[in-house]
Amino acid sequence: MYEERASRLRGAVAWTRGPVPLGTAGRVLPDGCMDLLLWNGRLVVAGPDTRAHLATERRGLPVYGLRLPPGTGPRVFGVPARELRDQRVPLADLWPRGQVRELHERVAGAGDPLAALESVAGRRLAAERHAAADPRAAALVDAVVAALRDGAGVAQVARRVGLSERQLHRRCQDSFGYGAKTLARVLRMQRALHLARAGTGLADTASRVGYADQAHLAREVRALAGVPITELLRLPG
């Protein structure tokens, strides 16, 4: 029912979910990413989540998505990530409606809607790179994500990238939708779920990804996902 593949866009994932009964609710966990979706018959932008998002199926259609890596969404959609935090917004609210109508026809009518979504995002990224006022901005975003995935604290990340903590917070709000501390929590939870789903015990998982103990892991996952980690592990990834 759910399938994904690596995208031709660096760090992105193309995914699809088959039709499900009307009224079915799905739990989308925070992952630091933003998505471009063909969902319920519309092109939609999924903003960065700070908590689990409960999505209800309203039309029984397949869903096609392009999950952009942390920090890439604002370069594609043209708005700071903080403006889309915890939201699902029609693309026509962000781009000219005539342009979005043409894109919708192209994506919905494509033999491979995922490839069509990749083409839309790829052209936007190429135009952004050509017009970028600060060519180092994308590299800075990558460096912040890499440092947080390594377990660096906020002050250490700021030093690594040559910013004050206040400057780092502002950059993170624009690029990821929230500050570095929240992004670190989200990325750590995703690493923990990946290990646990692969069969690593919860105590060992907690130790390996930097939680104080298993109880700390359980509290953090419940705070971000809204349900216990044991319930998440019973569901498909």
mmCIF file of all heavy atoms in Angstrom, residues 158-200:
data_model
loop_
_atom_site.group_PDB
_atom_site.id
_atom_site.type_symbol
_atom_site.label_atom_id
_atom_site.label_comp_id
_atom_site.label_asym_id
_atom_site.label_seq_id
_atom_site.Cartn_x
_atom_site.Cartn_y
_atom_site.Cartn_z
ATOM 1 N N ALA A 158 26.393 26.148 16.473
ATOM 2 C CA ALA A 158 26.606 27.554 16.127
ATOM 3 C C ALA A 158 28.086 27.838 15.893
ATOM 4 O O ALA A 158 28.451 28.531 14.924
ATOM 5 C CB ALA A 158 26.054 28.453 17.231
ATOM 6 N N ARG A 159 28.939 27.291 16.742
ATOM 7 C CA ARG A 159 30.383 27.503 16.560
ATOM 8 C C ARG A 159 30.874 26.863 15.268
ATOM 9 O O ARG A 159 31.683 27.444 14.539
ATOM 10 C CB ARG A 159 31.153 26.933 17.759
ATOM 11 C CG ARG A 159 31.013 27.754 19.039
ATOM 12 C CD ARG A 159 32.066 27.344 20.059
ATOM 13 N NE ARG A 159 31.909 25.955 20.465
ATOM 14 C CZ ARG A 159 31.140 25.542 21.476
ATOM 15 N NH1 ARG A 159 30.440 26.426 22.176
ATOM 16 N NH2 ARG A 159 31.059 24.269 21.797
ATOM 17 N N ARG A 160 30.386 25.670 14.978
ATOM 18 C CA ARG A 160 30.837 24.973 13.771
ATOM 19 C C ARG A 160 30.526 25.757 12.502
ATOM 20 O O ARG A 160 31.306 25.759 11.544
ATOM 21 C CB ARG A 160 30.171 23.591 13.667
ATOM 22 C CG ARG A 160 30.739 22.530 14.577
ATOM 23 C CD ARG A 160 30.195 21.169 14.157
ATOM 24 N NE ARG A 160 30.469 20.135 15.140
ATOM 25 C CZ ARG A 160 30.149 18.846 14.977
ATOM 26 N NH1 ARG A 160 29.534 18.464 13.869
ATOM 27 N NH2 ARG A 160 30.423 17.967 15.910
ATOM 28 N N VAL A 161 29.364 26.392 12.470
ATOM 29 C CA VAL A 161 28.954 27.074 11.237
ATOM 30 C C VAL A 161 29.240 28.568 11.270
ATOM 31 O O VAL A 161 28.919 29.295 10.335
ATOM 32 C CB VAL A 161 27.457 26.825 10.944
ATOM 33 C CG1 VAL A 161 27.184 25.340 10.756
ATOM 34 C CG2 VAL A 161 26.562 27.400 12.042
ATOM 35 N N GLY A 162 29.848 29.051 12.349
ATOM 36 C CA GLY A 162 30.273 30.438 12.414
ATOM 37 C C GLY A 162 29.162 31.442 12.618
ATOM 38 O O GLY A 162 29.236 32.569 12.108
ATOM 39 N N LEU A 163 28.136 31.052 13.394
ATOM 40 C CA LEU A 163 27.029 31.951 13.692
ATOM 41 C C LEU A 163 26.873 32.085 15.199
ATOM 42 O O LEU A 163 27.298 31.209 15.949
ATOM 43 C CB LEU A 163 25.715 31.409 13.117
ATOM 44 C CG LEU A 163 25.603 31.244 11.601
ATOM 45 C CD1 LEU A 163 24.271 30.579 11.253
ATOM 46 C CD2 LEU A 163 25.728 32.586 10.886
ATOM 47 N N SER A 164 26.247 33.180 15.625
ATOM 48 C CA SER A 164 25.833 33.260 17.020
ATOM 49 C C SER A 164 24.623 32.348 17.206
ATOM 50 O O SER A 164 23.965 31.957 16.236
ATOM 51 C CB SER A 164 25.461 34.696 17.390
ATOM 52 O OG SER A 164 24.257 35.073 16.737
ATOM 53 N N GLU A 165 24.288 32.018 18.438
ATOM 54 C CA GLU A 165 23.129 31.162 18.680
ATOM 55 C C GLU A 165 21.849 31.850 18.220
ATOM 56 O O GLU A 165 20.926 31.193 17.725
ATOM 57 C CB GLU A 165 23.048 30.780 20.159
ATOM 58 C CG GLU A 165 24.161 29.826 20.589
ATOM 59 C CD GLU A 165 23.999 29.330 22.009
ATOM 60 O OE1 GLU A 165 22.852 29.032 22.407
ATOM 61 O OE2 GLU A 165 25.018 29.263 22.727
ATOM 62 N N ARG A 166 21.784 33.169 18.369
ATOM 63 C CA ARG A 166 20.598 33.887 17.898
ATOM 64 C C ARG A 166 20.494 33.834 16.377
ATOM 65 O O ARG A 166 19.407 33.634 15.820
ATOM 66 C CB ARG A 166 20.642 35.329 18.379
ATOM 67 C CG ARG A 166 19.447 36.170 17.928
ATOM 68 C CD ARG A 166 19.439 37.538 18.578
ATOM 69 N NE ARG A 166 19.259 37.441 20.024
ATOM 70 C CZ ARG A 166 19.161 38.487 20.834
ATOM 71 N NH1 ARG A 166 19.255 39.716 20.334
ATOM 72 N NH2 ARG A 166 18.992 38.327 22.126
ATOM 73 N N GLN A 167 21.630 34.025 15.691
ATOM 74 C CA GLN A 167 21.618 33.933 14.231
ATOM 75 C C GLN A 167 21.239 32.522 13.785
ATOM 76 O O GLN A 167 20.478 32.340 12.826
ATOM 77 C CB GLN A 167 22.993 34.297 13.671
ATOM 78 C CG GLN A 167 23.360 35.770 13.778
ATOM 79 C CD GLN A 167 24.803 36.014 13.394
ATOM 80 O OE1 GLN A 167 25.690 35.204 13.676
ATOM 81 N NE2 GLN A 167 25.052 37.155 12.755
ATOM 82 N N LEU A 168 21.768 31.523 14.476
ATOM 83 C CA LEU A 168 21.446 30.135 14.141
ATOM 84 C C LEU A 168 19.950 29.876 14.297
ATOM 85 O O LEU A 168 19.326 29.242 13.433
ATOM 86 C CB LEU A 168 22.240 29.184 15.035
ATOM 87 C CG LEU A 168 21.913 27.690 14.868
ATOM 88 C CD1 LEU A 168 22.290 27.202 13.472
ATOM 89 C CD2 LEU A 168 22.641 26.860 15.936
ATOM 90 N N HIS A 169 19.366 30.373 15.380
ATOM 91 C CA HIS A 169 17.933 30.158 15.602
ATOM 92 C C HIS A 169 17.118 30.783 14.468
ATOM 93 O O HIS A 169 16.178 30.149 13.963
ATOM 94 C CB HIS A 169 17.526 30.773 16.938
ATOM 95 C CG HIS A 169 16.082 30.548 17.277
ATOM 96 N ND1 HIS A 169 15.594 29.333 17.685
ATOM 97 C CD2 HIS A 169 15.018 31.391 17.235
ATOM 98 C CE1 HIS A 169 14.294 29.433 17.899
ATOM 99 N NE2 HIS A 169 13.917 30.668 17.630
ATOM 100 N N ARG A 170 17.492 31.984 14.061
ATOM 101 C CA ARG A 170 16.756 32.654 12.980
ATOM 102 C C ARG A 170 16.897 31.881 11.669
ATOM 103 O O ARG A 170 15.901 31.680 10.947
ATOM 104 C CB ARG A 170 17.260 34.082 12.822
ATOM 105 C CG ARG A 170 16.456 34.896 11.806
ATOM 106 C CD ARG A 170 16.822 36.366 11.851
ATOM 107 N NE ARG A 170 18.216 36.610 11.519
ATOM 108 C CZ ARG A 170 19.140 36.990 12.402
ATOM 109 N NH1 ARG A 170 18.817 37.188 13.664
ATOM 110 N NH2 ARG A 170 20.387 37.199 12.020
ATOM 111 N N ARG A 171 18.107 31.431 11.355
ATOM 112 C CA ARG A 171 18.316 30.653 10.129
ATOM 113 C C ARG A 171 17.523 29.352 10.178
ATOM 114 O O ARG A 171 16.937 28.931 9.174
ATOM 115 C CB ARG A 171 19.804 30.341 9.960
ATOM 116 C CG ARG A 171 20.700 31.519 9.642
ATOM 117 C CD ARG A 171 20.549 31.995 8.203
ATOM 118 N NE ARG A 171 21.574 32.941 7.839
ATOM 119 C CZ ARG A 171 22.552 32.695 6.976
ATOM 120 N NH1 ARG A 171 22.630 31.521 6.378
ATOM 121 N NH2 ARG A 171 23.456 33.622 6.692
ATOM 122 N N CYS A 172 17.511 28.705 11.333
ATOM 123 C CA CYS A 172 16.787 27.436 11.456
ATOM 124 C C CYS A 172 15.287 27.641 11.309
ATOM 125 O O CYS A 172 14.598 26.828 10.668
ATOM 126 C CB CYS A 172 17.107 26.772 12.792
ATOM 127 S SG CYS A 172 18.758 26.051 12.890
ATOM 128 N N GLN A 173 14.754 28.707 11.883
ATOM 129 C CA GLN A 173 13.330 28.999 11.733
ATOM 130 C C GLN A 173 12.965 29.135 10.259
ATOM 131 O O GLN A 173 11.933 28.617 9.807
ATOM 132 C CB GLN A 173 12.981 30.285 12.482
ATOM 133 C CG GLN A 173 12.987 30.171 13.987
ATOM 134 C CD GLN A 173 11.655 29.671 14.531
ATOM 135 O OE1 GLN A 173 10.651 29.659 13.837
ATOM 136 N NE2 GLN A 173 11.655 29.257 15.787
ATOM 137 N N ASP A 174 13.791 29.832 9.506
ATOM 138 C CA ASP A 174 13.511 30.036 8.084
ATOM 139 C C ASP A 174 13.697 28.758 7.270
ATOM 140 O O ASP A 174 12.929 28.495 6.339
ATOM 141 C CB ASP A 174 14.419 31.127 7.518
ATOM 142 C CG ASP A 174 14.031 32.518 7.978
ATOM 143 O OD1 ASP A 174 12.919 32.676 8.518
ATOM 144 O OD2 ASP A 174 14.851 33.446 7.809
ATOM 145 N N SER A 175 14.717 27.973 7.615
ATOM 146 C CA SER A 175 15.061 26.802 6.808
ATOM 147 C C SER A 175 14.286 25.546 7.192
ATOM 148 O O SER A 175 13.935 24.734 6.321
ATOM 149 C CB SER A 175 16.566 26.511 6.922
ATOM 150 O OG SER A 175 17.330 27.576 6.409
ATOM 151 N N PHE A 176 14.030 25.362 8.499
ATOM 152 C CA PHE A 176 13.427 24.118 8.983
ATOM 153 C C PHE A 176 12.048 24.309 9.613
ATOM 154 O O PHE A 176 11.336 23.338 9.843
ATOM 155 C CB PHE A 176 14.345 23.461 10.020
ATOM 156 C CG PHE A 176 15.771 23.342 9.589
ATOM 157 C CD1 PHE A 176 16.790 23.976 10.301
ATOM 158 C CD2 PHE A 176 16.122 22.619 8.462
ATOM 159 C CE1 PHE A 176 18.113 23.876 9.908
ATOM 160 C CE2 PHE A 176 17.443 22.512 8.049
ATOM 161 C CZ PHE A 176 18.443 23.152 8.780
ATOM 162 N N GLY A 177 11.697 25.543 9.931
ATOM 163 C CA GLY A 177 10.403 25.806 10.541
ATOM 164 C C GLY A 177 10.444 25.932 12.037
ATOM 165 O O GLY A 177 9.468 26.350 12.664
ATOM 166 N N TYR A 178 11.569 25.574 12.642
ATOM 167 C CA TYR A 178 11.739 25.666 14.091
ATOM 168 C C TYR A 178 13.225 25.717 14.400
ATOM 169 O O TYR A 178 14.064 25.590 13.503
ATOM 170 C CB TYR A 178 11.069 24.497 14.817
ATOM 171 C CG TYR A 178 11.010 23.191 14.045
ATOM 172 C CD1 TYR A 178 12.167 22.485 13.712
ATOM 173 C CD2 TYR A 178 9.788 22.646 13.671
ATOM 174 C CE1 TYR A 178 12.092 21.288 13.028
ATOM 175 C CE2 TYR A 178 9.709 21.443 12.982
ATOM 176 C CZ TYR A 178 10.865 20.770 12.660
ATOM 177 O OH TYR A 178 10.795 19.581 11.968
ATOM 178 N N GLY A 179 13.536 25.914 15.679
ATOM 179 C CA GLY A 179 14.928 26.072 16.069
ATOM 180 C C GLY A 179 15.720 24.778 16.020
ATOM 181 O O GLY A 179 15.174 23.678 15.856
ATOM 182 N N ALA A 180 17.033 24.918 16.201
ATOM 183 C CA ALA A 180 17.921 23.765 16.114
ATOM 184 C C ALA A 180 17.612 22.718 17.185
ATOM 185 O O ALA A 180 17.730 21.517 16.941
ATOM 186 C CB ALA A 180 19.377 24.226 16.236
ATOM 187 N N LYS A 181 17.192 23.160 18.368
ATOM 188 C CA LYS A 181 16.899 22.206 19.438
ATOM 189 C C LYS A 181 15.725 21.310 19.069
ATOM 190 O O LYS A 181 15.770 20.087 19.280
ATOM 191 C CB LYS A 181 16.601 22.951 20.736
ATOM 192 C CG LYS A 181 16.421 22.036 21.943
ATOM 193 C CD LYS A 181 16.274 22.847 23.230
ATOM 194 C CE LYS A 181 16.123 21.915 24.433
ATOM 195 N NZ LYS A 181 15.996 22.695 25.699
ATOM 196 N N THR A 182 14.665 21.890 18.494
ATOM 197 C CA THR A 182 13.525 21.084 18.077
ATOM 198 C C THR A 182 13.899 20.163 16.931
ATOM 199 O O THR A 182 13.513 18.989 16.912
ATOM 200 C CB THR A 182 12.352 21.989 17.659
ATOM 201 O OG1 THR A 182 11.943 22.762 18.786
ATOM 202 C CG2 THR A 182 11.176 21.177 17.152
ATOM 203 N N LEU A 183 14.654 20.667 15.965
ATOM 204 C CA LEU A 183 15.089 19.813 14.861
ATOM 205 C C LEU A 183 15.916 18.648 15.374
ATOM 206 O O LEU A 183 15.767 17.508 14.911
ATOM 207 C CB LEU A 183 15.881 20.621 13.840
ATOM 208 C CG LEU A 183 16.402 19.822 12.641
ATOM 209 C CD1 LEU A 183 15.267 19.201 11.856
ATOM 210 C CD2 LEU A 183 17.256 20.716 11.727
ATOM 211 N N ALA A 184 16.781 18.905 16.347
ATOM 212 C CA ALA A 184 17.590 17.824 16.915
ATOM 213 C C ALA A 184 16.706 16.752 17.552
ATOM 214 O O ALA A 184 16.956 15.546 17.402
ATOM 215 C CB ALA A 184 18.568 18.388 17.946
ATOM 216 N N ARG A 185 15.660 17.166 18.262
ATOM 217 C CA ARG A 185 14.738 16.203 18.884
ATOM 218 C C ARG A 185 14.044 15.346 17.815
ATOM 219 O O ARG A 185 13.909 14.119 17.964
ATOM 220 C CB ARG A 185 13.681 16.924 19.711
ATOM 221 C CG ARG A 185 14.184 17.605 20.960
ATOM 222 C CD ARG A 185 13.039 18.333 21.656
ATOM 223 N NE ARG A 185 12.025 17.393 22.140
ATOM 224 C CZ ARG A 185 10.743 17.702 22.298
ATOM 225 N NH1 ARG A 185 10.307 18.921 21.967
ATOM 226 N NH2 ARG A 185 9.901 16.810 22.755
ATOM 227 N N VAL A 186 13.609 15.994 16.753
ATOM 228 C CA VAL A 186 12.905 15.281 15.682
ATOM 229 C C VAL A 186 13.831 14.286 14.993
ATOM 230 O O VAL A 186 13.467 13.121 14.769
ATOM 231 C CB VAL A 186 12.335 16.301 14.669
ATOM 232 C CG1 VAL A 186 11.875 15.603 13.399
ATOM 233 C CG2 VAL A 186 11.193 17.085 15.293
ATOM 234 N N LEU A 187 15.048 14.726 14.643
ATOM 235 C CA LEU A 187 15.985 13.840 13.973
ATOM 236 C C LEU A 187 16.385 12.674 14.873
ATOM 237 O O LEU A 187 16.549 11.531 14.400
ATOM 238 C CB LEU A 187 17.226 14.618 13.538
ATOM 239 C CG LEU A 187 16.995 15.708 12.481
ATOM 240 C CD1 LEU A 187 18.291 16.465 12.211
ATOM 241 C CD2 LEU A 187 16.452 15.106 11.190
ATOM 242 N N ARG A 188 16.538 12.936 16.165
ATOM 243 C CA ARG A 188 16.898 11.867 17.100
ATOM 244 C C ARG A 188 15.777 10.840 17.201
ATOM 245 O O ARG A 188 16.029 9.630 17.231
ATOM 246 C CB ARG A 188 17.233 12.453 18.468
ATOM 247 C CG ARG A 188 17.695 11.403 19.483
ATOM 248 C CD ARG A 188 18.280 12.042 20.731
ATOM 249 N NE ARG A 188 17.310 12.906 21.407
ATOM 250 C CZ ARG A 188 17.553 13.504 22.578
ATOM 251 N NH1 ARG A 188 18.721 13.339 23.185
ATOM 252 N NH2 ARG A 188 16.638 14.274 23.133
ATOM 253 N N MET A 189 14.530 11.297 17.258
ATOM 254 C CA MET A 189 13.416 10.351 17.297
ATOM 255 C C MET A 189 13.388 9.487 16.037
ATOM 256 O O MET A 189 13.167 8.263 16.112
ATOM 257 C CB MET A 189 12.090 11.088 17.429
ATOM 258 C CG MET A 189 10.892 10.137 17.456
ATOM 259 S SD MET A 189 9.270 10.957 17.342
ATOM 260 C CE MET A 189 9.293 11.482 15.615
ATOM 261 N N GLN A 190 13.622 10.087 14.886
ATOM 262 C CA GLN A 190 13.603 9.311 13.651
ATOM 263 C C GLN A 190 14.723 8.265 13.643
ATOM 264 O O GLN A 190 14.522 7.133 13.190
ATOM 265 C CB GLN A 190 13.732 10.250 12.444
ATOM 266 C CG GLN A 190 12.479 11.064 12.154
ATOM 267 C CD GLN A 190 11.340 10.211 11.640
ATOM 268 O OE1 GLN A 190 11.544 9.105 11.123
ATOM 269 N NE2 GLN A 190 10.120 10.700 11.781
ATOM 270 N N ARG A 191 15.907 8.621 14.155
ATOM 271 C CA ARG A 191 16.992 7.636 14.239
ATOM 272 C C ARG A 191 16.610 6.504 15.176
ATOM 273 O O ARG A 191 16.878 5.322 14.896
ATOM 274 C CB ARG A 191 18.286 8.301 14.744
ATOM 275 C CG ARG A 191 18.914 9.282 13.777
ATOM 276 C CD ARG A 191 20.380 9.574 14.123
ATOM 277 N NE ARG A 191 20.566 10.020 15.485
ATOM 278 C CZ ARG A 191 20.485 11.286 15.890
ATOM 279 N NH1 ARG A 191 20.174 12.230 15.006
ATOM 280 N NH2 ARG A 191 20.698 11.624 17.133
ATOM 281 N N ALA A 192 15.979 6.841 16.288
ATOM 282 C CA ALA A 192 15.577 5.823 17.257
ATOM 283 C C ALA A 192 14.554 4.866 16.648
ATOM 284 O O ALA A 192 14.654 3.640 16.809
ATOM 285 C CB ALA A 192 15.011 6.487 18.513
ATOM 286 N N LEU A 193 13.571 5.406 15.939
ATOM 287 C CA LEU A 193 12.561 4.546 15.327
ATOM 288 C C LEU A 193 13.171 3.645 14.265
ATOM 289 O O LEU A 193 12.786 2.477 14.132
ATOM 290 C CB LEU A 193 11.444 5.406 14.727
ATOM 291 C CG LEU A 193 10.547 6.124 15.735
ATOM 292 C CD1 LEU A 193 9.596 7.068 15.010
ATOM 293 C CD2 LEU A 193 9.771 5.125 16.576
ATOM 294 N N HIS A 194 14.118 4.178 13.504
ATOM 295 C CA HIS A 194 14.792 3.363 12.494
ATOM 296 C C HIS A 194 15.505 2.173 13.143
ATOM 297 O O HIS A 194 15.385 1.029 12.675
ATOM 298 C CB HIS A 194 15.790 4.222 11.718
ATOM 299 C CG HIS A 194 16.567 3.466 10.695
ATOM 300 N ND1 HIS A 194 16.048 3.093 9.485
ATOM 301 C CD2 HIS A 194 17.852 2.986 10.711
ATOM 302 C CE1 HIS A 194 16.962 2.420 8.792
ATOM 303 N NE2 HIS A 194 18.058 2.362 9.515
ATOM 304 N N LEU A 195 16.229 2.427 14.220
ATOM 305 C CA LEU A 195 16.935 1.337 14.911
ATOM 306 C C LEU A 195 15.960 0.341 15.521
ATOM 307 O O LEU A 195 16.130 -0.881 15.387
ATOM 308 C CB LEU A 195 17.839 1.912 16.002
ATOM 309 C CG LEU A 195 19.127 2.597 15.556
ATOM 310 C CD1 LEU A 195 19.819 3.221 16.756
ATOM 311 C CD2 LEU A 195 20.054 1.597 14.876
ATOM 312 N N ALA A 196 14.925 0.856 16.175
ATOM 313 C CA ALA A 196 13.974 -0.041 16.846
ATOM 314 C C ALA A 196 13.224 -0.894 15.842
ATOM 315 O O ALA A 196 12.982 -2.087 16.081
ATOM 316 C CB ALA A 196 13.005 0.776 17.694
ATOM 317 N N ARG A 197 12.852 -0.325 14.705
ATOM 318 C CA ARG A 197 12.152 -1.100 13.683
ATOM 319 C C ARG A 197 13.060 -2.151 13.059
ATOM 320 O O ARG A 197 12.577 -3.153 12.522
ATOM 321 C CB ARG A 197 11.602 -0.164 12.614
ATOM 322 C CG ARG A 197 10.361 0.606 13.082
ATOM 323 C CD ARG A 197 9.906 1.625 12.060
ATOM 324 N NE ARG A 197 8.649 2.262 12.479
ATOM 325 C CZ ARG A 197 8.329 3.514 12.254
ATOM 326 N NH1 ARG A 197 9.194 4.307 11.627
ATOM 327 N NH2 ARG A 197 7.177 4.004 12.652
ATOM 328 N N ALA A 198 14.377 -1.906 13.098
ATOM 329 C CA ALA A 198 15.326 -2.884 12.569
ATOM 330 C C ALA A 198 15.627 -3.991 13.573
ATOM 331 O O ALA A 198 16.404 -4.901 13.258
ATOM 332 C CB ALA A 198 16.619 -2.184 12.160
ATOM 333 N N GLY A 199 15.041 -3.913 14.780
ATOM 334 C CA GLY A 199 15.200 -4.988 15.745
ATOM 335 C C GLY A 199 16.076 -4.666 16.932
ATOM 336 O O GLY A 199 16.270 -5.521 17.807
ATOM 337 N N THR A 200 16.625 -3.450 17.011
ATOM 338 C CA THR A 200 17.443 -3.078 18.164
ATOM 339 C C THR A 200 16.547 -2.892 19.382
ATOM 340 O O THR A 200 15.489 -2.265 19.287
ATOM 341 C CB THR A 200 18.202 -1.767 17.884
ATOM 342 O OG1 THR A 200 18.978 -1.921 16.692
ATOM 343 C CG2 THR A 200 19.122 -1.404 19.043
#
